[in-house]
Amino acid sequence: FRQVDTDGNGKVDFEEFLKLMKHKQKKTATKESEDPNMQIFKMFDKDGSGSLSSQEWLDVMNLMGLKTTKEEAAQLFSSVDKNGDGRIGLQEFIFYIGN
């Protein structure tokens, strides 16, 4: 837990969780498997559309136990949705989690 909670606040926040998932995926990935970022993205993309809706984004935050209001989630969603199309694509997601 302490290795994941890098800021030492006693909670695993969204960014720390993504770093953990990215590390875990890299560790288990083989040469034949797809990019760990894509695997994480697909895990969040529940409807398989190739992008994250605002509801999928909110679901991810809730699943992680992040106590955010819909407004806070919408604000973060908007900051990640760089092209403003109302969805978070793979490249926007990768940019957000920090390749």
Side-chain angles (χ1 to χ4, degrees):
F1 180 79
R2 290 181 183 156
Q3 291 176 333
V4 177
D5 181 23
T6 56
D7 62 9
N9 69 354
K11 299 176 186 174
V12 176
D13 63 28
F14 189 65
E15 287 81 14
E16 291 166 336
F17 173 78
L18 289 176
K19 286 178 187 175
L20 171 67
M21 291 302 297
K22 189 174 176 181
H23 175 74
K24 181 177 171 119
Q25 293 293 340
K26 278 184 181 177
K27 201 172 179 181
T28 60
T30 64
K31 289 182 181 180
E32 295 82 31
S33 69
E34 60 190 30
D35 176 46
N37 292 324
M38 177 62 107
Q39 291 175 347
I40 294 168
F41 183 80
K42 281 184 175 181
M43 184 173 59
F44 295 153
D45 180 19
K46 297 295 183 192
D47 65 3
S49 66
S51 60
L52 302 180
S53 67
S54 58
Q55 184 59 53
E56 286 170 323
W57 186 257
L58 183 59
D59 291 345
V60 167
M61 298 181 103
N62 289 332
L63 284 172
M64 294 179 46
L66 298 174
K67 305 293 184 206
T68 59
T69 65
K70 284 186 178 184
E71 292 78 22
E72 291 169 332
Q75 204 171 32
L76 181 56
F77 182 89
S78 292
S79 71
V80 176
D81 179 21
K82 298 293 183 190
N83 66 4
D85 67 353
R87 303 200 53 92
I88 295 175
L90 177 62
Q91 294 306 316
E92 291 167 322
F93 181 77
I94 290 171
F95 182 78
Y96 174 72
I97 64 172
N99 204 9

